[in-house]
Amino acid sequence: MKTFLPAVASLGLALALPFTLQAQDTAPPVVAAEESAHAQLVAVMSPDALHEASFANTVSELRRFYMENPDFVLLDKECPGLIDNIFEKSEDEMREYHWAEANAIRSLMLDLVTEYLTEEQASEGAALYGTPLGQKVIIAAGQNQNLQNTMESAVENKGGEVDRTAFDRDQRATTSKVLRTLTRAEIEEFGRRAMGSKFLPAFQRLNPLIQQRKFELLNSDRLSAYETRMQAAMQDAMNSHIEACN
């Protein structure tokens, strides 16, 4: 991904925060009983609710990034409403890209957990994260993701690539933001539920590889067709607004 950066980073945080949650009720996703344990695990660790939260946060962070960019600040001053118009007119293409990326991450997750986790470990993980409390753990990362370093890295690099240092820095920042939302009682409650789990140690060993694969996806051209449509929609929105303004 070269422009619509944050969904990968946010999902990475969701997987890297096994003992965090947010104080709000979240209904567990519907998982078909006939699905394999590995598919059920991916379904509860990458639910639609996570990606909806991630999309909303991504748009908010991108809008803020534009509002802090001197060039766009000047353009918006000369032609009021420019930034709002860009996001309004390109939302469908942004959402299309976001969900294509989310499904690509689900696919790579399924491949990895199937290869590296046993059925028993996957079943334990699906049971743990499939509860309302478990979903709070997952969705907290999407709602509290930090994207500043990722976006700055993409802008600084001529090809739009993100460097791994920026990717990791945003993950650590998001972890800190999520932890600040928690009470000790909430952390202890989830810890009690996870105690003795065979899943968590196995997943923690696997997680660095998941992060690496997601980072590779972030800088790949796998979703270039979606990216092209999104960029064109944003450019058209900017051009039409400036033309109308003049």
Side-chain angles (χ1 to χ4, degrees), residues 90-127:
S90 60
E91 180 178 353
D92 289 346
E93 288 77 13
M94 286 184 176
R95 188 175 291 277
E96 178 188 43
Y97 184 100
H98 178 82
W99 283 102
E101 187 176 50
N103 288 329
I105 292 196
R106 286 168 169 167
S107 178
L108 74 82
M109 283 179 60
L110 181 58
D111 289 344
L112 291 173
V113 299
T114 300
E115 181 175 357
Y116 289 97
L117 299 183
T118 66
E119 285 280 335
E120 180 183 7
Q121 290 166 341
S123 293
E124 281 191 6

PDB file of all heavy atoms in Angstrom, residues 90-127:
ATOM      1  N   SER A  90     -14.256  10.963  -2.399  1.00  0.00           N
ATOM      2  CA  SER A  90     -13.480   9.743  -2.636  1.00  0.00           C
ATOM      3  C   SER A  90     -13.710   8.664  -1.578  1.00  0.00           C
ATOM      4  O   SER A  90     -13.001   7.670  -1.538  1.00  0.00           O
ATOM      5  CB  SER A  90     -11.983  10.072  -2.704  1.00  0.00           C
ATOM      6  OG  SER A  90     -11.535  10.656  -1.494  1.00  0.00           O
ATOM      7  N   GLU A  91     -14.733   8.847  -0.733  1.00  0.00           N
ATOM      8  CA  GLU A  91     -14.959   7.889   0.353  1.00  0.00           C
ATOM      9  C   GLU A  91     -15.229   6.480  -0.167  1.00  0.00           C
ATOM     10  O   GLU A  91     -14.738   5.495   0.398  1.00  0.00           O
ATOM     11  CB  GLU A  91     -16.126   8.331   1.232  1.00  0.00           C
ATOM     12  CG  GLU A  91     -16.389   7.363   2.383  1.00  0.00           C
ATOM     13  CD  GLU A  91     -17.518   7.804   3.292  1.00  0.00           C
ATOM     14  OE1 GLU A  91     -18.020   8.937   3.117  1.00  0.00           O
ATOM     15  OE2 GLU A  91     -17.901   7.021   4.171  1.00  0.00           O
ATOM     16  N   ASP A  92     -16.014   6.346  -1.237  1.00  0.00           N
ATOM     17  CA  ASP A  92     -16.326   5.013  -1.756  1.00  0.00           C
ATOM     18  C   ASP A  92     -15.061   4.285  -2.204  1.00  0.00           C
ATOM     19  O   ASP A  92     -14.888   3.086  -1.934  1.00  0.00           O
ATOM     20  CB  ASP A  92     -17.305   5.102  -2.929  1.00  0.00           C
ATOM     21  CG  ASP A  92     -18.708   5.499  -2.491  1.00  0.00           C
ATOM     22  OD1 ASP A  92     -18.987   5.440  -1.282  1.00  0.00           O
ATOM     23  OD2 ASP A  92     -19.511   5.870  -3.369  1.00  0.00           O
ATOM     24  N   GLU A  93     -14.184   5.003  -2.886  1.00  0.00           N
ATOM     25  CA  GLU A  93     -12.939   4.380  -3.352  1.00  0.00           C
ATOM     26  C   GLU A  93     -12.003   4.066  -2.188  1.00  0.00           C
ATOM     27  O   GLU A  93     -11.303   3.049  -2.202  1.00  0.00           O
ATOM     28  CB  GLU A  93     -12.239   5.298  -4.356  1.00  0.00           C
ATOM     29  CG  GLU A  93     -12.913   5.379  -5.715  1.00  0.00           C
ATOM     30  CD  GLU A  93     -14.150   6.272  -5.714  1.00  0.00           C
ATOM     31  OE1 GLU A  93     -14.354   7.027  -4.731  1.00  0.00           O
ATOM     32  OE2 GLU A  93     -14.913   6.217  -6.700  1.00  0.00           O
ATOM     33  N   MET A  94     -11.992   4.925  -1.178  1.00  0.00           N
ATOM     34  CA  MET A  94     -11.202   4.646   0.021  1.00  0.00           C
ATOM     35  C   MET A  94     -11.708   3.387   0.716  1.00  0.00           C
ATOM     36  O   MET A  94     -10.925   2.525   1.122  1.00  0.00           O
ATOM     37  CB  MET A  94     -11.284   5.831   0.994  1.00  0.00           C
ATOM     38  CG  MET A  94     -10.506   7.046   0.593  1.00  0.00           C
ATOM     39  SD  MET A  94     -10.604   8.313   1.900  1.00  0.00           S
ATOM     40  CE  MET A  94      -9.500   9.553   1.223  1.00  0.00           C
ATOM     41  N   ARG A  95     -13.016   3.290   0.829  1.00  0.00           N
ATOM     42  CA  ARG A  95     -13.604   2.124   1.493  1.00  0.00           C
ATOM     43  C   ARG A  95     -13.346   0.852   0.688  1.00  0.00           C
ATOM     44  O   ARG A  95     -13.054  -0.205   1.256  1.00  0.00           O
ATOM     45  CB  ARG A  95     -15.104   2.346   1.696  1.00  0.00           C
ATOM     46  CG  ARG A  95     -15.784   1.279   2.545  1.00  0.00           C
ATOM     47  CD  ARG A  95     -17.236   1.648   2.796  1.00  0.00           C
ATOM     48  NE  ARG A  95     -17.346   2.805   3.664  1.00  0.00           N
ATOM     49  CZ  ARG A  95     -17.283   2.738   5.000  1.00  0.00           C
ATOM     50  NH1 ARG A  95     -17.110   1.576   5.592  1.00  0.00           N
ATOM     51  NH2 ARG A  95     -17.413   3.833   5.722  1.00  0.00           N
ATOM     52  N   GLU A  96     -13.443   0.945  -0.636  1.00  0.00           N
ATOM     53  CA  GLU A  96     -13.168  -0.212  -1.492  1.00  0.00           C
ATOM     54  C   GLU A  96     -11.740  -0.701  -1.282  1.00  0.00           C
ATOM     55  O   GLU A  96     -11.494  -1.906  -1.144  1.00  0.00           O
ATOM     56  CB  GLU A  96     -13.377   0.163  -2.955  1.00  0.00           C
ATOM     57  CG  GLU A  96     -13.072  -0.968  -3.935  1.00  0.00           C
ATOM     58  CD  GLU A  96     -13.098  -0.514  -5.371  1.00  0.00           C
ATOM     59  OE1 GLU A  96     -12.556   0.574  -5.680  1.00  0.00           O
ATOM     60  OE2 GLU A  96     -13.646  -1.258  -6.210  1.00  0.00           O
ATOM     61  N   TYR A  97     -10.789   0.240  -1.249  1.00  0.00           N
ATOM     62  CA  TYR A  97      -9.387  -0.126  -1.018  1.00  0.00           C
ATOM     63  C   TYR A  97      -9.213  -0.762   0.362  1.00  0.00           C
ATOM     64  O   TYR A  97      -8.549  -1.786   0.512  1.00  0.00           O
ATOM     65  CB  TYR A  97      -8.491   1.107  -1.134  1.00  0.00           C
ATOM     66  CG  TYR A  97      -7.023   0.768  -1.002  1.00  0.00           C
ATOM     67  CD1 TYR A  97      -6.222   0.660  -2.126  1.00  0.00           C
ATOM     68  CD2 TYR A  97      -6.453   0.542   0.250  1.00  0.00           C
ATOM     69  CE1 TYR A  97      -4.882   0.325  -2.005  1.00  0.00           C
ATOM     70  CE2 TYR A  97      -5.128   0.203   0.375  1.00  0.00           C
ATOM     71  CZ  TYR A  97      -4.334   0.098  -0.755  1.00  0.00           C
ATOM     72  OH  TYR A  97      -3.013  -0.250  -0.625  1.00  0.00           O
ATOM     73  N   HIS A  98      -9.805  -0.137   1.354  1.00  0.00           N
ATOM     74  CA  HIS A  98      -9.666  -0.601   2.735  1.00  0.00           C
ATOM     75  C   HIS A  98     -10.120  -2.054   2.879  1.00  0.00           C
ATOM     76  O   HIS A  98      -9.441  -2.875   3.505  1.00  0.00           O
ATOM     77  CB  HIS A  98     -10.482   0.303   3.660  1.00  0.00           C
ATOM     78  CG  HIS A  98     -10.438  -0.105   5.098  1.00  0.00           C
ATOM     79  ND1 HIS A  98      -9.402   0.227   5.925  1.00  0.00           N
ATOM     80  CD2 HIS A  98     -11.307  -0.828   5.847  1.00  0.00           C
ATOM     81  CE1 HIS A  98      -9.626  -0.278   7.136  1.00  0.00           C
ATOM     82  NE2 HIS A  98     -10.779  -0.910   7.117  1.00  0.00           N
ATOM     83  N   TRP A  99     -11.275  -2.394   2.279  1.00  0.00           N
ATOM     84  CA  TRP A  99     -11.790  -3.750   2.433  1.00  0.00           C
ATOM     85  C   TRP A  99     -11.022  -4.756   1.585  1.00  0.00           C
ATOM     86  O   TRP A  99     -10.882  -5.928   1.976  1.00  0.00           O
ATOM     87  CB  TRP A  99     -13.286  -3.788   2.135  1.00  0.00           C
ATOM     88  CG  TRP A  99     -14.056  -3.245   3.296  1.00  0.00           C
ATOM     89  CD1 TRP A  99     -14.615  -2.010   3.424  1.00  0.00           C
ATOM     90  CD2 TRP A  99     -14.280  -3.920   4.550  1.00  0.00           C
ATOM     91  NE1 TRP A  99     -15.184  -1.869   4.667  1.00  0.00           N
ATOM     92  CE2 TRP A  99     -14.999  -3.023   5.379  1.00  0.00           C
ATOM     93  CE3 TRP A  99     -13.952  -5.178   5.030  1.00  0.00           C
ATOM     94  CZ2 TRP A  99     -15.384  -3.359   6.667  1.00  0.00           C
ATOM     95  CZ3 TRP A  99     -14.338  -5.515   6.322  1.00  0.00           C
ATOM     96  CH2 TRP A  99     -15.046  -4.607   7.122  1.00  0.00           C
ATOM     97  N   ALA A 100     -10.492  -4.333   0.452  1.00  0.00           N
ATOM     98  CA  ALA A 100      -9.631  -5.227  -0.326  1.00  0.00           C
ATOM     99  C   ALA A 100      -8.382  -5.562   0.476  1.00  0.00           C
ATOM    100  O   ALA A 100      -7.924  -6.711   0.506  1.00  0.00           O
ATOM    101  CB  ALA A 100      -9.252  -4.572  -1.650  1.00  0.00           C
ATOM    102  N   GLU A 101      -7.852  -4.572   1.147  1.00  0.00           N
ATOM    103  CA  GLU A 101      -6.668  -4.780   1.974  1.00  0.00           C
ATOM    104  C   GLU A 101      -6.987  -5.653   3.190  1.00  0.00           C
ATOM    105  O   GLU A 101      -6.209  -6.548   3.555  1.00  0.00           O
ATOM    106  CB  GLU A 101      -6.129  -3.426   2.424  1.00  0.00           C
ATOM    107  CG  GLU A 101      -4.813  -3.507   3.156  1.00  0.00           C
ATOM    108  CD  GLU A 101      -4.299  -2.125   3.491  1.00  0.00           C
ATOM    109  OE1 GLU A 101      -5.073  -1.321   4.047  1.00  0.00           O
ATOM    110  OE2 GLU A 101      -3.134  -1.856   3.190  1.00  0.00           O
ATOM    111  N   ALA A 102      -8.132  -5.392   3.815  1.00  0.00           N
ATOM    112  CA  ALA A 102      -8.539  -6.196   4.972  1.00  0.00           C
ATOM    113  C   ALA A 102      -8.667  -7.665   4.584  1.00  0.00           C
ATOM    114  O   ALA A 102      -8.225  -8.558   5.320  1.00  0.00           O
ATOM    115  CB  ALA A 102      -9.862  -5.685   5.529  1.00  0.00           C
ATOM    116  N   ASN A 103      -9.256  -7.941   3.428  1.00  0.00           N
ATOM    117  CA  ASN A 103      -9.412  -9.331   2.988  1.00  0.00           C
ATOM    118  C   ASN A 103      -8.077  -9.962   2.637  1.00  0.00           C
ATOM    119  O   ASN A 103      -7.875 -11.169   2.851  1.00  0.00           O
ATOM    120  CB  ASN A 103     -10.368  -9.388   1.795  1.00  0.00           C
ATOM    121  CG  ASN A 103     -11.806  -9.130   2.202  1.00  0.00           C
ATOM    122  OD1 ASN A 103     -12.213  -9.461   3.318  1.00  0.00           O
ATOM    123  ND2 ASN A 103     -12.588  -8.536   1.316  1.00  0.00           N
ATOM    124  N   ALA A 104      -7.142  -9.161   2.128  1.00  0.00           N
ATOM    125  CA  ALA A 104      -5.804  -9.683   1.841  1.00  0.00           C
ATOM    126  C   ALA A 104      -5.107 -10.068   3.137  1.00  0.00           C
ATOM    127  O   ALA A 104      -4.413 -11.093   3.207  1.00  0.00           O
ATOM    128  CB  ALA A 104      -4.984  -8.638   1.087  1.00  0.00           C
ATOM    129  N   ILE A 105      -5.309  -9.287   4.184  1.00  0.00           N
ATOM    130  CA  ILE A 105      -4.699  -9.597   5.481  1.00  0.00           C
ATOM    131  C   ILE A 105      -5.338 -10.838   6.091  1.00  0.00           C
ATOM    132  O   ILE A 105      -4.660 -11.685   6.672  1.00  0.00           O
ATOM    133  CB  ILE A 105      -4.810  -8.389   6.415  1.00  0.00           C
ATOM    134  CG1 ILE A 105      -3.929  -7.273   5.882  1.00  0.00           C
ATOM    135  CG2 ILE A 105      -4.465  -8.752   7.836  1.00  0.00           C
ATOM    136  CD1 ILE A 105      -3.618  -6.166   6.804  1.00  0.00           C
ATOM    137  N   ARG A 106      -6.638 -10.943   5.965  1.00  0.00           N
ATOM    138  CA  ARG A 106      -7.315 -12.146   6.465  1.00  0.00           C
ATOM    139  C   ARG A 106      -6.758 -13.394   5.781  1.00  0.00           C
ATOM    140  O   ARG A 106      -6.555 -14.434   6.411  1.00  0.00           O
ATOM    141  CB  ARG A 106      -8.817 -12.034   6.227  1.00  0.00           C
ATOM    142  CG  ARG A 106      -9.523 -11.077   7.162  1.00  0.00           C
ATOM    143  CD  ARG A 106     -10.939 -10.782   6.694  1.00  0.00           C
ATOM    144  NE  ARG A 106     -11.721 -10.082   7.701  1.00  0.00           N
ATOM    145  CZ  ARG A 106     -12.880  -9.505   7.475  1.00  0.00           C
ATOM    146  NH1 ARG A 106     -13.415  -9.532   6.260  1.00  0.00           N
ATOM    147  NH2 ARG A 106     -13.533  -8.891   8.444  1.00  0.00           N
ATOM    148  N   SER A 107      -6.516 -13.291   4.488  1.00  0.00           N
ATOM    149  CA  SER A 107      -6.008 -14.428   3.728  1.00  0.00           C
ATOM    150  C   SER A 107      -4.616 -14.824   4.203  1.00  0.00           C
ATOM    151  O   SER A 107      -4.332 -16.010   4.414  1.00  0.00           O
ATOM    152  CB  SER A 107      -5.986 -14.083   2.235  1.00  0.00           C
ATOM    153  OG  SER A 107      -5.454 -15.150   1.479  1.00  0.00           O
ATOM    154  N   LEU A 108      -3.733 -13.851   4.381  1.00  0.00           N
ATOM    155  CA  LEU A 108      -2.385 -14.199   4.822  1.00  0.00           C
ATOM    156  C   LEU A 108      -2.390 -14.715   6.254  1.00  0.00           C
ATOM    157  O   LEU A 108      -1.620 -15.608   6.620  1.00  0.00           O
ATOM    158  CB  LEU A 108      -1.427 -13.011   4.647  1.00  0.00           C
ATOM    159  CG  LEU A 108      -1.463 -11.798   5.578  1.00  0.00           C
ATOM    160  CD1 LEU A 108      -0.701 -12.027   6.863  1.00  0.00           C
ATOM    161  CD2 LEU A 108      -0.896 -10.576   4.852  1.00  0.00           C
ATOM    162  N   MET A 109      -3.279 -14.173   7.089  1.00  0.00           N
ATOM    163  CA  MET A 109      -3.404 -14.682   8.455  1.00  0.00           C
ATOM    164  C   MET A 109      -3.843 -16.133   8.459  1.00  0.00           C
ATOM    165  O   MET A 109      -3.297 -16.960   9.203  1.00  0.00           O
ATOM    166  CB  MET A 109      -4.415 -13.836   9.244  1.00  0.00           C
ATOM    167  CG  MET A 109      -3.897 -12.499   9.720  1.00  0.00           C
ATOM    168  SD  MET A 109      -5.192 -11.588  10.623  1.00  0.00           S
ATOM    169  CE  MET A 109      -5.538 -12.735  11.958  1.00  0.00           C
ATOM    170  N   LEU A 110      -4.842 -16.462   7.632  1.00  0.00           N
ATOM    171  CA  LEU A 110      -5.340 -17.823   7.589  1.00  0.00           C
ATOM    172  C   LEU A 110      -4.242 -18.785   7.145  1.00  0.00           C
ATOM    173  O   LEU A 110      -4.086 -19.875   7.715  1.00  0.00           O
ATOM    174  CB  LEU A 110      -6.543 -17.928   6.649  1.00  0.00           C
ATOM    175  CG  LEU A 110      -7.178 -19.319   6.529  1.00  0.00           C
ATOM    176  CD1 LEU A 110      -7.641 -19.826   7.895  1.00  0.00           C
ATOM    177  CD2 LEU A 110      -8.356 -19.274   5.554  1.00  0.00           C
ATOM    178  N   ASP A 111      -3.475 -18.393   6.154  1.00  0.00           N
ATOM    179  CA  ASP A 111      -2.371 -19.244   5.693  1.00  0.00           C
ATOM    180  C   ASP A 111      -1.376 -19.502   6.821  1.00  0.00           C
ATOM    181  O   ASP A 111      -0.927 -20.642   7.022  1.00  0.00           O
ATOM    182  CB  ASP A 111      -1.644 -18.583   4.521  1.00  0.00           C
ATOM    183  CG  ASP A 111      -2.463 -18.581   3.239  1.00  0.00           C
ATOM    184  OD1 ASP A 111      -3.453 -19.345   3.164  1.00  0.00           O
ATOM    185  OD2 ASP A 111      -2.118 -17.824   2.319  1.00  0.00           O
ATOM    186  N   LEU A 112      -1.039 -18.454   7.576  1.00  0.00           N
ATOM    187  CA  LEU A 112      -0.014 -18.587   8.613  1.00  0.00           C
ATOM    188  C   LEU A 112      -0.507 -19.355   9.829  1.00  0.00           C
ATOM    189  O   LEU A 112       0.199 -20.219  10.361  1.00  0.00           O
ATOM    190  CB  LEU A 112       0.502 -17.207   9.019  1.00  0.00           C
ATOM    191  CG  LEU A 112       1.333 -16.492   7.953  1.00  0.00           C
ATOM    192  CD1 LEU A 112       1.655 -15.065   8.387  1.00  0.00           C
ATOM    193  CD2 LEU A 112       2.620 -17.252   7.663  1.00  0.00           C
ATOM    194  N   VAL A 113      -1.724 -19.052  10.301  1.00  0.00           N
ATOM    195  CA  VAL A 113      -2.196 -19.770  11.488  1.00  0.00           C
ATOM    196  C   VAL A 113      -2.458 -21.244  11.158  1.00  0.00           C
ATOM    197  O   VAL A 113      -2.266 -22.120  12.022  1.00  0.00           O
ATOM    198  CB  VAL A 113      -3.453 -19.113  12.105  1.00  0.00           C
ATOM    199  CG1 VAL A 113      -3.149 -17.696  12.553  1.00  0.00           C
ATOM    200  CG2 VAL A 113      -4.648 -19.157  11.168  1.00  0.00           C
ATOM    201  N   THR A 114      -2.865 -21.526   9.924  1.00  0.00           N
ATOM    202  CA  THR A 114      -3.081 -22.917   9.531  1.00  0.00           C
ATOM    203  C   THR A 114      -1.768 -23.677   9.519  1.00  0.00           C
ATOM    204  O   THR A 114      -1.703 -24.855   9.912  1.00  0.00           O
ATOM    205  CB  THR A 114      -3.742 -22.992   8.140  1.00  0.00           C
ATOM    206  OG1 THR A 114      -5.012 -22.322   8.191  1.00  0.00           O
ATOM    207  CG2 THR A 114      -3.969 -24.433   7.711  1.00  0.00           C
ATOM    208  N   GLU A 115      -0.712 -23.005   9.092  1.00  0.00           N
ATOM    209  CA  GLU A 115       0.595 -23.664   9.011  1.00  0.00           C
ATOM    210  C   GLU A 115       1.262 -23.823  10.368  1.00  0.00           C
ATOM    211  O   GLU A 115       1.902 -24.845  10.635  1.00  0.00           O
ATOM    212  CB  GLU A 115       1.516 -22.868   8.089  1.00  0.00           C
ATOM    213  CG  GLU A 115       2.900 -23.490   7.921  1.00  0.00           C
ATOM    214  CD  GLU A 115       3.776 -22.763   6.912  1.00  0.00           C
ATOM    215  OE1 GLU A 115       3.285 -21.794   6.286  1.00  0.00           O
ATOM    216  OE2 GLU A 115       4.940 -23.173   6.741  1.00  0.00           O
ATOM    217  N   TYR A 116       1.099 -22.835  11.253  1.00  0.00           N
ATOM    218  CA  TYR A 116       1.899 -22.806  12.474  1.00  0.00           C
ATOM    219  C   TYR A 116       1.148 -23.135  13.761  1.00  0.00           C
ATOM    220  O   TYR A 116       1.787 -23.377  14.788  1.00  0.00           O
ATOM    221  CB  TYR A 116       2.558 -21.433  12.621  1.00  0.00           C
ATOM    222  CG  TYR A 116       3.663 -21.197  11.620  1.00  0.00           C
ATOM    223  CD1 TYR A 116       3.418 -20.497  10.441  1.00  0.00           C
ATOM    224  CD2 TYR A 116       4.950 -21.686  11.835  1.00  0.00           C
ATOM    225  CE1 TYR A 116       4.423 -20.279   9.504  1.00  0.00           C
ATOM    226  CE2 TYR A 116       5.954 -21.478  10.909  1.00  0.00           C
ATOM    227  CZ  TYR A 116       5.691 -20.779   9.744  1.00  0.00           C
ATOM    228  OH  TYR A 116       6.686 -20.566   8.820  1.00  0.00           O
ATOM    229  N   LEU A 117      -0.181 -23.123  13.759  1.00  0.00           N
ATOM    230  CA  LEU A 117      -0.942 -23.425  14.971  1.00  0.00           C
ATOM    231  C   LEU A 117      -1.679 -24.745  14.819  1.00  0.00           C
ATOM    232  O   LEU A 117      -2.186 -25.062  13.737  1.00  0.00           O
ATOM    233  CB  LEU A 117      -1.956 -22.321  15.281  1.00  0.00           C
ATOM    234  CG  LEU A 117      -1.416 -20.913  15.532  1.00  0.00           C
ATOM    235  CD1 LEU A 117      -2.558 -19.973  15.902  1.00  0.00           C
ATOM    236  CD2 LEU A 117      -0.338 -20.897  16.599  1.00  0.00           C
ATOM    237  N   THR A 118      -1.753 -25.510  15.891  1.00  0.00           N
ATOM    238  CA  THR A 118      -2.515 -26.749  15.874  1.00  0.00           C
ATOM    239  C   THR A 118      -4.007 -26.430  15.941  1.00  0.00           C
ATOM    240  O   THR A 118      -4.410 -25.302  16.267  1.00  0.00           O
ATOM    241  CB  THR A 118      -2.135 -27.640  17.058  1.00  0.00           C
ATOM    242  OG1 THR A 118      -2.554 -26.986  18.277  1.00  0.00           O
ATOM    243  CG2 THR A 118      -0.636 -27.893  17.111  1.00  0.00           C
ATOM    244  N   GLU A 119      -4.833 -27.440  15.660  1.00  0.00           N
ATOM    245  CA  GLU A 119      -6.283 -27.250  15.775  1.00  0.00           C
ATOM    246  C   GLU A 119      -6.651 -26.865  17.205  1.00  0.00           C
ATOM    247  O   GLU A 119      -7.511 -26.011  17.419  1.00  0.00           O
ATOM    248  CB  GLU A 119      -7.003 -28.546  15.376  1.00  0.00           C
ATOM    249  CG  GLU A 119      -7.032 -28.820  13.893  1.00  0.00           C
ATOM    250  CD  GLU A 119      -8.117 -28.035  13.175  1.00  0.00           C
ATOM    251  OE1 GLU A 119      -9.112 -27.667  13.831  1.00  0.00           O
ATOM    252  OE2 GLU A 119      -7.962 -27.793  11.969  1.00  0.00           O
ATOM    253  N   GLU A 120      -6.009 -27.494  18.190  1.00  0.00           N
ATOM    254  CA  GLU A 120      -6.317 -27.201  19.588  1.00  0.00           C
ATOM    255  C   GLU A 120      -5.970 -25.756  19.926  1.00  0.00           C
ATOM    256  O   GLU A 120      -6.754 -25.050  20.593  1.00  0.00           O
ATOM    257  CB  GLU A 120      -5.543 -28.150  20.503  1.00  0.00           C
ATOM    258  CG  GLU A 120      -5.803 -27.912  21.990  1.00  0.00           C
ATOM    259  CD  GLU A 120      -4.977 -28.805  22.894  1.00  0.00           C
ATOM    260  OE1 GLU A 120      -4.096 -29.539  22.374  1.00  0.00           O
ATOM    261  OE2 GLU A 120      -5.197 -28.776  24.118  1.00  0.00           O
ATOM    262  N   GLN A 121      -4.805 -25.301  19.489  1.00  0.00           N
ATOM    263  CA  GLN A 121      -4.399 -23.922  19.760  1.00  0.00           C
ATOM    264  C   GLN A 121      -5.348 -22.927  19.084  1.00  0.00           C
ATOM    265  O   GLN A 121      -5.754 -21.930  19.685  1.00  0.00           O
ATOM    266  CB  GLN A 121      -2.972 -23.695  19.274  1.00  0.00           C
ATOM    267  CG  GLN A 121      -1.925 -24.423  20.108  1.00  0.00           C
ATOM    268  CD  GLN A 121      -0.562 -24.461  19.429  1.00  0.00           C
ATOM    269  OE1 GLN A 121      -0.447 -24.267  18.211  1.00  0.00           O
ATOM    270  NE2 GLN A 121       0.474 -24.717  20.203  1.00  0.00           N
ATOM    271  N   ALA A 122      -5.717 -23.211  17.843  1.00  0.00           N
ATOM    272  CA  ALA A 122      -6.637 -22.325  17.122  1.00  0.00           C
ATOM    273  C   ALA A 122      -8.003 -22.292  17.794  1.00  0.00           C
ATOM    274  O   ALA A 122      -8.634 -21.229  17.899  1.00  0.00           O
ATOM    275  CB  ALA A 122      -6.759 -22.767  15.675  1.00  0.00           C
ATOM    276  N   SER A 123      -8.478 -23.448  18.256  1.00  0.00           N
ATOM    277  CA  SER A 123      -9.771 -23.510  18.938  1.00  0.00           C
ATOM    278  C   SER A 123      -9.754 -22.690  20.216  1.00  0.00           C
ATOM    279  O   SER A 123     -10.717 -21.983  20.537  1.00  0.00           O
ATOM    280  CB  SER A 123     -10.131 -24.961  19.255  1.00  0.00           C
ATOM    281  OG  SER A 123     -10.361 -25.696  18.074  1.00  0.00           O
ATOM    282  N   GLU A 124      -8.658 -22.795  20.975  1.00  0.00           N
ATOM    283  CA  GLU A 124      -8.532 -22.002  22.209  1.00  0.00           C
ATOM    284  C   GLU A 124      -8.551 -20.506  21.897  1.00  0.00           C
ATOM    285  O   GLU A 124      -9.195 -19.719  22.589  1.00  0.00           O
ATOM    286  CB  GLU A 124      -7.228 -22.356  22.934  1.00  0.00           C
ATOM    287  CG  GLU A 124      -7.276 -23.641  23.724  1.00  0.00           C
ATOM    288  CD  GLU A 124      -6.056 -23.781  24.627  1.00  0.00           C
ATOM    289  OE1 GLU A 124      -5.250 -22.830  24.710  1.00  0.00           O
ATOM    290  OE2 GLU A 124      -5.909 -24.849  25.237  1.00  0.00           O
ATOM    291  N   GLY A 125      -7.827 -20.122  20.838  1.00  0.00           N
ATOM    292  CA  GLY A 125      -7.783 -18.711  20.468  1.00  0.00           C
ATOM    293  C   GLY A 125      -9.138 -18.198  20.028  1.00  0.00           C
ATOM    294  O   GLY A 125      -9.554 -17.095  20.398  1.00  0.00           O
ATOM    295  N   ALA A 126      -9.857 -19.001  19.242  1.00  0.00           N
ATOM    296  CA  ALA A 126     -11.184 -18.596  18.777  1.00  0.00           C
ATOM    297  C   ALA A 126     -12.145 -18.453  19.953  1.00  0.00           C
ATOM    298  O   ALA A 126     -12.974 -17.531  19.983  1.00  0.00           O
ATOM    299  CB  ALA A 126     -11.719 -19.611  17.771  1.00  0.00           C
ATOM    300  N   ALA A 127     -12.040 -19.354  20.932  1.00  0.00           N
ATOM    301  CA  ALA A 127     -12.908 -19.278  22.105  1.00  0.00           C
ATOM    302  C   ALA A 127     -12.581 -18.052  22.959  1.00  0.00           C
ATOM    303  O   ALA A 127     -13.476 -17.355  23.447  1.00  0.00           O
ATOM    304  CB  ALA A 127     -12.767 -20.552  22.936  1.00  0.00           C
TER     305      ALA A 127
END
